Amino acid sequence: MSATTQPIDPPTPGHLAAITGLRGVAALWVMLFHLYEFSHHADLRIGAVDVSGWLASGYLGVDLFFVLSGFLLAPAFIDLTRRRGLRTFWRHRFRRVLPALWAQIVILLLVAALWGPGLPSAVEIFTNLTLSFNLLQNSSSINPVYWSLPVEWNFYLLLPLLALGFRGSARRVSLTIAAWIAFSIGFRLLCVWAYGRYGTEALELARWIIQLPGRIDQFVIGMGAAWLSLQTRFDSRRGGLLAWAGALAALGLAALASHVGNFMGDLLQPWVWLFYPLIALAFASLSLGVSSAPSGLIARLLSVRPLVWVGMISYSLYLWHLPFLQAFQHLFARPIGLTDSVLLSTVILLAAWLSFVWIERPFLPVRAASQHESRASGPA
């Protein structure tokens, strides 16, 4: 914080209904993406409008979660007047992430042992329980959506150090953000170069594009939006314009991602190194805009009760949606139809709510549980 800037009390983004609704959008977007994949890319034209492009890029809901993590968790470390001890922070992260994860792993392992292909190796089970499997590989055979959780987990470890660059003058903060974006882009370019030079031998390096350090710019951009919320009081008009700009940019980039295709898996330039910061800037603008203008149209749309409820259970929704879709595929061996989608979505939402009530909520701080507004870890 610069010497001439007085601290203010901005809206607390972690307790805004619109931000919780935005988490709901992220979780629903990921679920709809997988539903679309399991439908074998069903025709989704509504009149002249084809919405399949936005569903095909629903994996970007994970990117939204990463930006929201930086936006929601950074203020306690940036603003020294609200700093809490690291022990408290990590204790809350452990309680927020691990109980629901561990409970699901136990359930899925029981199902695999009794009715499935059997148990994975002891090493894989241990590395999934400790969110360290990314040291060996990107994916998990227990639940493929786990891939993003170590990314989030590693960010928690780095957050106190990253936040040091957000204390001081605006110039220092701007340089910090620019440096981390440049580092991430440079790392991804290095991966692309190594693959082009050494072929499959470089895949072990290239796989880190979707992990940290390859995704650090998205968290840092979210932190930058949080820093702005601490420094500047946006009026409703400016906040509303920022929210609209972020929403429209995100929709446009999502359509572009669908058109370009699997640019990360195929290492297509320039998108493989450029797309992450672009979509993160859009999501950060949207997050900052709705938190600054809670009475704006977009914030009010995100604050509708059903969407806020989905945001509240978003972590469990993220964890449970894919196992149910895989179970359907295993039992019926056919694409998911429209009626199937409605029934499955209902069952998945019910399972996510039960997971939240029975497993997540008992471990939440009393205040967060009473407000139904605990920060959802990872992609949730």
Coordinates of all heavy atoms in Angstrom, one line a residue, residues 2 10 17 37-38 54 57 65 70 73 95 97 104 114 135 147 190 194-195 202 218 222 230 274 283 305 318 324 380:
S2 N 0.6 2.1 -0.9 CA 1.4 3.3 -0.9 C 1.2 4.2 0.3 O 0.1 4.1 1.0 CB 1.0 4.1 -2.2 OG -0.3 4.6 -2.1
P10 N -13.6 -2.5 1.9 CA -14.3 -2.8 0.7 C -15.3 -3.9 1.0 O -15.3 -4.5 2.1 CB -13.2 -3.4 -0.3 CG -12.3 -4.0 0.7 CD -12.3 -3.1 1.9
A17 N -23.3 -12.7 -2.1 CA -24.1 -13.7 -2.7 C -23.7 -13.9 -4.2 O -23.7 -15.0 -4.7 CB -25.6 -13.3 -2.6
E37 N -20.2 -34.1 -23.0 CA -19.3 -35.1 -23.5 C -19.9 -36.5 -23.5 O -19.8 -37.2 -24.4 CB -18.0 -35.1 -22.6 CG -17.1 -33.8 -22.8 CD -16.5 -33.7 -24.1 OE1 -15.8 -34.7 -24.5 OE2 -16.7 -32.7 -24.8
F38 N -20.6 -36.8 -22.4 CA -21.2 -38.1 -22.3 C -22.5 -38.2 -23.2 O -22.9 -39.3 -23.4 CB -21.6 -38.4 -20.8 CG -20.5 -38.9 -20.0 CD1 -19.6 -38.0 -19.4 CD2 -20.4 -40.3 -19.7 CE1 -18.5 -38.5 -18.6 CE2 -19.3 -40.7 -19.0 CZ -18.4 -39.9 -18.4
W54 N -20.4 -23.2 -26.0 CA -20.1 -22.8 -24.6 C -20.1 -24.0 -23.7 O -19.4 -24.0 -22.7 CB -21.2 -21.8 -24.1 CG -20.9 -20.4 -24.7 CD1 -19.9 -19.6 -24.4 CD2 -21.7 -19.8 -25.7 NE1 -20.0 -18.4 -25.2 CE2 -21.1 -18.5 -26.0 CE3 -22.9 -20.2 -26.4 CZ2 -21.6 -17.6 -26.9 CZ3 -23.4 -19.3 -27.3 CH2 -22.8 -18.0 -27.6
S57 N -16.7 -25.8 -24.0 CA -15.6 -25.1 -23.3 C -15.9 -25.0 -21.8 O -15.3 -24.2 -21.1 CB -15.3 -23.8 -23.9 OG -16.5 -23.0 -23.9
F65 N -12.6 -21.1 -11.1 CA -12.3 -21.4 -9.7 C -10.9 -20.9 -9.3 O -10.7 -20.5 -8.2 CB -12.4 -22.9 -9.5 CG -13.8 -23.4 -9.3 CD1 -14.3 -24.5 -10.1 CD2 -14.6 -22.9 -8.3 CE1 -15.5 -25.0 -9.9 CE2 -15.9 -23.4 -8.2 CZ -16.4 -24.4 -9.0
G70 N -7.6 -16.9 -5.9 CA -6.8 -15.8 -5.6 C -7.6 -14.6 -5.1 O -7.1 -13.9 -4.2
L73 N -9.0 -15.5 -1.3 CA -8.1 -15.8 -0.2 C -7.0 -14.8 0.0 O -6.4 -14.7 1.1 CB -7.5 -17.2 -0.5 CG -8.4 -18.4 -0.5 CD1 -7.7 -19.7 -0.8 CD2 -9.1 -18.5 0.9
R95 N -9.4 -28.4 6.8 CA -10.8 -28.7 7.1 C -11.8 -28.5 6.0 O -12.8 -29.2 5.9 CB -11.2 -27.9 8.4 CG -10.4 -28.3 9.6 CD -10.8 -27.4 10.8 NE -12.2 -27.7 11.2 CZ -12.8 -27.1 12.2 NH1 -12.1 -26.3 13.0 NH2 -14.1 -27.4 12.5
V97 N -11.0 -28.7 2.7 CA -10.7 -29.6 1.5 C -10.8 -31.1 1.8 O -11.4 -31.8 1.1 CB -9.4 -29.2 0.9 CG1 -9.1 -30.1 -0.3 CG2 -9.4 -27.7 0.5
Q104 N -15.0 -39.2 0.0 CA -15.3 -39.7 -1.3 C -14.4 -40.8 -1.8 O -14.8 -41.8 -2.4 CB -15.3 -38.5 -2.4 CG -15.8 -39.0 -3.7 CD -15.7 -38.0 -4.8 OE1 -14.6 -37.6 -5.1 NE2 -16.8 -37.6 -5.4
L114 N -15.9 -53.7 -4.7 CA -17.0 -54.6 -4.7 C -17.6 -54.8 -6.1 O -18.0 -55.9 -6.4 CB -18.1 -54.0 -3.8 CG -17.7 -54.0 -2.3 CD1 -18.8 -53.3 -1.5 CD2 -17.4 -55.4 -1.7
L135 N 2.9 -35.0 -8.5 CA 4.3 -35.2 -8.6 C 4.7 -36.3 -9.6 O 5.8 -36.4 -10.1 CB 4.9 -35.5 -7.2 CG 4.7 -34.4 -6.2 CD1 5.3 -34.8 -4.8 CD2 5.4 -33.1 -6.7
W147 N -7.7 -33.9 -10.8 CA -6.5 -33.3 -11.3 C -6.2 -31.9 -10.9 O -5.1 -31.4 -10.7 CB -6.5 -33.4 -12.9 CG -7.4 -32.3 -13.5 CD1 -8.7 -32.5 -13.9 CD2 -7.1 -31.0 -13.8 NE1 -9.2 -31.4 -14.4 CE2 -8.2 -30.4 -14.4 CE3 -5.9 -30.2 -13.7 CZ2 -8.3 -29.1 -14.8 CZ3 -6.0 -28.9 -14.1 CH2 -7.1 -28.3 -14.6
L190 N 8.6 -22.4 -22.9 CA 9.7 -23.4 -22.7 C 9.2 -24.8 -22.9 O 9.8 -25.6 -23.6 CB 10.2 -23.3 -21.3 CG 11.3 -24.3 -20.9 CD1 12.5 -24.2 -21.8 CD2 11.7 -24.1 -19.5
A194 N 10.5 -27.3 -25.8 CA 11.1 -28.6 -25.4 C 10.4 -29.7 -26.2 O 11.1 -30.6 -26.6 CB 11.0 -28.8 -23.9
Y195 N 9.1 -29.6 -26.3 CA 8.4 -30.7 -27.0 C 8.7 -30.7 -28.5 O 8.9 -31.8 -29.1 CB 6.9 -30.5 -26.8 CG 6.1 -31.6 -27.5 CD1 6.0 -32.9 -26.8 CD2 5.4 -31.5 -28.7 CE1 5.3 -33.9 -27.4 CE2 4.7 -32.5 -29.3 CZ 4.7 -33.7 -28.6 OH 4.0 -34.7 -29.2
A202 N 9.9 -34.8 -23.8 CA 9.7 -33.6 -23.1 C 8.3 -33.6 -22.5 O 7.9 -32.5 -21.9 CB 9.9 -32.4 -24.0
Q218 N -3.0 -17.3 -13.3 CA -4.4 -17.2 -13.0 C -4.7 -16.8 -11.6 O -5.6 -16.0 -11.3 CB -5.2 -18.5 -13.4 CG -5.1 -18.7 -14.9 CD -6.0 -19.8 -15.4 OE1 -6.1 -20.9 -14.8 NE2 -6.7 -19.6 -16.5
G222 N -6.2 -13.1 -10.1 CA -7.3 -13.1 -9.1 C -6.8 -12.3 -7.9 O -7.6 -11.5 -7.3
L230 N -9.2 -3.7 -2.4 CA -8.7 -3.2 -1.1 C -8.3 -1.7 -1.3 O -8.3 -0.9 -0.3 CB -7.6 -4.0 -0.6 CG -7.9 -5.4 -0.1 CD1 -6.6 -6.1 0.2 CD2 -8.8 -5.4 1.1
L274 N -1.0 -18.2 -24.3 CA -1.6 -16.9 -24.1 C -3.0 -17.0 -23.5 O -3.5 -16.0 -22.9 CB -1.7 -16.2 -25.5 CG -2.3 -14.8 -25.6 CD1 -1.5 -13.8 -24.8 CD2 -2.4 -14.4 -27.1
F283 N -12.3 -13.2 -16.1 CA -12.9 -13.7 -14.9 C -12.6 -12.8 -13.7 O -13.5 -12.6 -12.8 CB -12.5 -15.1 -14.5 CG -13.0 -16.2 -15.5 CD1 -12.2 -17.3 -15.8 CD2 -14.3 -16.1 -16.0 CE1 -12.7 -18.3 -16.6 CE2 -14.8 -17.1 -16.8 CZ -14.0 -18.2 -17.1
R305 N -31.4 -17.2 -5.6 CA -31.2 -18.2 -4.6 C -30.8 -19.6 -5.1 O -29.9 -20.2 -4.5 CB -32.5 -18.3 -3.8 CG -32.7 -17.1 -2.9 CD -33.9 -17.4 -1.9 NE -34.1 -16.3 -1.0 CZ -34.9 -16.2 0.0 NH1 -35.8 -17.3 0.2 NH2 -35.0 -15.2 0.8
Y318 N -18.6 -30.5 -7.6 CA -17.5 -30.8 -8.4 C -17.0 -32.2 -8.2 O -16.6 -32.9 -9.2 CB -16.4 -29.7 -8.2 CG -15.2 -29.9 -9.0 CD1 -15.1 -29.4 -10.3 CD2 -14.0 -30.6 -8.6 CE1 -14.0 -29.6 -11.1 CE2 -12.9 -30.8 -9.4 CZ -12.9 -30.2 -10.6 OH -11.8 -30.4 -11.4
F324 N -21.0 -40.1 -11.0 CA -22.4 -40.5 -11.4 C -22.5 -40.7 -12.9 O -23.2 -41.6 -13.4 CB -23.4 -39.5 -10.8 CG -23.7 -39.7 -9.4 CD1 -23.1 -39.0 -8.4 CD2 -24.7 -40.6 -9.0 CE1 -23.4 -39.2 -7.1 CE2 -25.1 -40.9 -7.7 CZ -24.4 -40.1 -6.7
A380 N -14.3 -25.2 -6.5 CA -15.6 -25.2 -5.9 C -15.8 -24.1 -5.0 O -14.8 -23.6 -4.4 CB -15.8 -26.5 -5.2

